Amino acid sequence: MNIEIKKEAVAQLKKVDYKENEGVRIEAIYLASCSIYVEHELKIDNQNEDDEKFIIDGIPVLLSSESKKHLPDNVYLTYNDKLGYKLYSDEETFRYNLQLKRVN
């Protein structure tokens, strides 16, 4: 899996004061419904046992094994003052206007 954080998002994410064992969680949650739908979230969370941890430009990024199932091999994260964070791949935009929230 390759996660690339664009420079605009790096600048924003470096402003966060990460506690020990915390990181930015990229979450892809499958929602059972009459159609295939995956909800994407971005949050500051503690690392869990099944998480893969990436250090990207000094930023700890967490990805659960379940979320990896619903994301392609190449994922990008960028930031825009008006649209918030945007999570996308080479083929599609998963979600824009993502807000970074702390879980605890």
Side-chain angles (χ1 to χ4, degrees), residues 89-102:
S89 70
D90 293 323
E91 294 81 29
E92 67 180 300
T93 297
F94 301 116
R95 187 165 173 197
Y96 59 90
N97 200 21
L98 280 165
Q99 303 301 314
L100 183 63
K101 299 174 253 177
R102 188 177 293 273

Side-chain angles (χ1 to χ4, degrees), residues 43-55:
K43 54 190 170 184
I44 300 169
D45 197 5
N46 289 317
Q47 184 175 0
N48 297 321
E49 284 184 24
D50 77 326
D51 289 338
E52 187 170 348
K53 184 175 184 178
F54 302 82
I55 303 296

